[in-house]
Amino acid sequence: MCETHQGLNVPPKHVEVLIIGGGPAGSYAASVLSREGIDVVVLESTKFPRALSQKFSTAFYPIGESLIPSVRPYLQFIGAEEKVANYGFTKKPGSAIKFNQFKREGYTDFVALGADNNAWNVIRSEFDQLLLNHAQGCGAEVYEETKATSISFDPKDPDKPVSVSWARTFTENPNESQVGMSKTVHGSITFTHLIDASGRAGLLSTNYLKNRHFNASLRNIAVWGYWRSRICYEGSNNEHDLLNDGQEGYSHGCHAHFGMYGIGTSREGAPWFEALTDESGWAWFIPLHNGKTSVGIVMNQERYNTQAKSRPLYSETPRESSLVSRYLSNLHLAPGVIRLLCGEDVCHLANAMPSSEQNPVEEQKLHMQAELEQGSVRSASDFSYSAPSYAGKGFRIIGDAGAFIDPFFSSGIHLAFTGALSAAATICASRRGDCTEAEAAMWHTKRVAVSYTRFQVVVLSAYKQMRAQRVDVLSDVDEDNFDRAFTYLRPVIQGASDMGSRLSESELQRSLDFCVNLFNPTSPEEHEAVEGRLSHLGEHRGLMDVAKPVIDPKTFENVLNVRNVRNYPNATSCTEEGVDSKNNAESELKSRMVLDKINARRLVHHEYAINNLEAEELLGYAVRLEKGQLGLVKVACKSVPGG
């Protein structure tokens, strides 16, 4: 299928499916379609690995280094799970989230659902290249350093794209002492279907459809950099030693010098997320397999800009210096992150609670233990957006090209895979006559939008908690998608008889309050204790099973004899009659927090299994998730309780 131009390999004149972008979404779609026997061409504008060809460039280094367990069944479907599992990425057994500096962090244990249910913390340049190489192995034809420059539409049907113009750059092999000479070749390619996986640039959405909507309630800026242990760094002879001196052993040793959450326990490798003390956002601490740690700050864009104006900085290189200086300054709004960088322990197992009297970390100690890699600080803003449509005649939009929520909750790769599989399934459905092209396009838009909305509402609930204030979000949440994403939540929140025909801001705020329970500060040990207690009451299976439908919280009150407490810190004064012990009251309260957390997890649990695409009906169709027969199958619409 490959053609040549003046002896150089160039894309063919025509292909069945053209994919713009070789990131996770594009690579995944290419793998799925190639395994269905469909000819696929991928145009990727950069040279992989992207961190080397575009070093420290935010435009080519996306946010999203911490994955969630849902990626495993997606990777398994394309035959790539074993490759990722064996690569050497840091295993992520769970995640720790701390919203309140005076409370213990909450910990979500992934491996509690199975020893192989861990996710990974990944270096995106390596993860992305692994996926792109896998797509090639599946049969996709990949052209790196080939930029899609424009899209042409059918003159008789202006809504249908028919060809893409491209520019491919070739670098002649240089001698060791010479700089390589480059030349650019131009051409065009026609296709039956187009998939836009062009990342945040969003070629179709921004240049042609012009339908991107930015979420005002999530207008944040992210600033992050990469740290290594100063002791390990100074003890190494060169950069090659740092990256290759036995990945597993090296990683453990280096991180031990400046901290890793849960080191030496079953939680080792879990990322740490923490609300900033000024309530403007949150921070992350993600250990990576090459001995480095990704440390980032996400904060309100307006707050960041105001701070920048009030504290001007001057230096010989103002842009870089001001970014780094503000990054370091804002890190002190995350005391847990600072303590990890200093080698202190922030993991609180079982009933251990953080000390209310913690001495501030000395600046000298930080610089003695950890070193920020020079030139590694990056920033990104205006990254929360969506669109009313992600498909049309002969095209699909997937991954960041269509929508992105926020780095919080690590949903980016999951949504990229979901959208990619949806695009592949609907293209196959259209080709195989399962439905019309118009129906397939509508289904893809609904699938992307519903998954996006589920995670969006959860993320908004977290920000409401972190910022300790109500922010009107109705303008950012599509009502139809909310109804479908949270089918079983509305009657629980309002009561079936009280449900209005339109989604209100008040109802949405109550939904956020329900969802924020997902981040309750509970531990795996407390979950086990509650499970044991409920088993004696004969209520174990239904209440502790995250796969069950959402349960009316009043059920918990009846089982646990705990009144509906609005504010956990004051709950010990609300014990039931006959319980006069503070310890018993705290035990009851923790049980309620565990059950509320599981109940909130049920809202997004649908997303964590790939077979949800088979089980969840949208617009009268579900995915036929069978290799060689991928497509859509017509199903009977399910009735919605209270709808």
Side-chain angles (χ1 to χ4, degrees), residues 335-543:
V337 168
I338 294 296
R339 293 182 187 283
L340 282 166
L341 288 172
C342 290
E344 297 189 15
D345 185 14
V346 297
C347 177
H348 299 93
L349 300 174
N351 294 320
M353 293 296 291
S355 171
S356 59
E357 296 182 358
Q358 293 180 328
N359 296 322
V361 175
E362 296 179 5
E363 189 77 18
Q364 183 181 7
K365 183 176 182 182
L366 170 61
H367 292 296
M368 286 177 60
Q369 298 291 328
E371 179 172 72
L372 175 64
E373 184 174 357
Q374 186 175 5
S376 72
V377 177
R378 307 175 172 108
S379 68
S381 59
D382 291 329
F383 49 70
S384 184
Y385 52 86
S386 61
S389 175
Y390 303 103
K393 295 179 183 179
F395 73 87
R396 308 287 186 268
I397 303 173
I398 61 177
D400 293 359
F404 187 79
I405 305 171
D406 190 84
F408 193 82
F409 210 58
S410 307
S411 60
I413 297 296
H414 169 88
L415 293 174
F417 285 177
T418 299
L421 183 53
S422 172
T426 56
I427 288 173
C428 288
S430 178
R431 291 168 56 91
R432 288 174 171 144
D434 296 336
C435 59
T436 66
E437 170 64 10
E439 289 173 324
M442 290 174 60
W443 196 93
H444 174 72
T445 285
K446 182 59 68 173
R447 175 70 273 163
V448 172
V450 167
S451 294
Y452 180 92
T453 303
R454 284 197 176 113
F455 284 101
Q456 179 189 24
V457 171
V458 169
V459 169
L460 287 170
S461 75
Y463 273 98
K464 181 179 180 181
Q465 178 83 353
M466 285 186 285
R467 293 172 179 168
Q469 61 183 347
R470 167 180 165 145
V471 177
D472 289 345
V473 297
L474 187 59
S475 62
D476 290 337
V477 178
D478 182 273
E479 180 177 356
D480 292 337
N481 295 328
F482 179 88
D483 283 343
R484 194 62 189 86
F486 298 104
T487 297
Y488 302 107
L489 179 60
R490 291 193 72 186
V492 170
I493 293 294
Q494 286 190 272
S497 62
D498 297 328
M499 282 180 60
S501 59
R502 304 287 296 177
L503 177 67
S504 67
E505 182 69 45
S506 175
E507 181 186 351
L508 187 50
Q509 292 295 329
R510 289 198 294 274
S511 300
L512 300 185
D513 293 339
F514 183 95
C515 291
V516 80
N517 289 313
L518 197 147
F519 308 106
N520 281 349
T522 63
S523 67
E525 295 81 9
E526 288 168 348
H527 282 246
E528 291 177 5
V530 173
E531 186 173 2
R533 179 181 177 187
L534 293 181
S535 63
H536 294 302
L537 297 175
E539 300 285 349
H540 162 231
R541 292 186 178 179
L543 297 183

Side-chain angles (χ1 to χ4, degrees), residues 291-365:
K292 299 178 185 178
T293 296
S294 173
V295 178
I297 294 283
V298 178
M299 65 190 308
N300 177 266
Q301 176 79 63
E302 185 177 354
R303 179 81 67 91
Y304 182 87
N305 291 341
T306 300
Q307 178 191 93
K309 292 178 182 178
S310 63
R311 290 188 292 175
L313 299 170
Y314 304 95
S315 73
E316 294 181 359
T317 55
R319 184 176 181 275
E320 179 177 351
S321 177
S322 62
L323 179 65
V324 174
S325 297
R326 292 192 180 100
Y327 167 69
L328 294 173
S329 176
N330 288 326
L331 274 184
H332 287 273
L333 297 173
V337 168
I338 294 296
R339 293 182 187 283
L340 282 166
L341 288 172
C342 290
E344 297 189 15
D345 185 14
V346 297
C347 177
H348 299 93
L349 300 174
N351 294 320
M353 293 296 291
S355 171
S356 59
E357 296 182 358
Q358 293 180 328
N359 296 322
V361 175
E362 296 179 5
E363 189 77 18
Q364 183 181 7
K365 183 176 182 182

Side-chain angles (χ1 to χ4, degrees), residues 76 82 93 103 109 328 515 523 626:
Q76 186 178 43
E82 188 174 351
K103 289 184 180 181
D109 188 359
L328 294 173
C515 291
S523 67
E626 179 182 345

Side-chain angles (χ1 to χ4, degrees), residues 253-318:
C254 275
H255 283 297
H257 286 293
F258 70 84
M260 176 190 286
Y261 176 79
I263 194 164
T265 74
S266 61
R267 302 185 188 185
E268 182 173 324
W272 167 270
F273 305 106
E274 174 182 10
L276 302 182
T277 55
D278 70 348
E279 301 179 350
S280 64
W282 58 282
W284 76 69
F285 181 99
I286 303 173
L288 303 172
H289 71 277
N290 64 352
K292 299 178 185 178
T293 296
S294 173
V295 178
I297 294 283
V298 178
M299 65 190 308
N300 177 266
Q301 176 79 63
E302 185 177 354
R303 179 81 67 91
Y304 182 87
N305 291 341
T306 300
Q307 178 191 93
K309 292 178 182 178
S310 63
R311 290 188 292 175
L313 299 170
Y314 304 95
S315 73
E316 294 181 359
T317 55

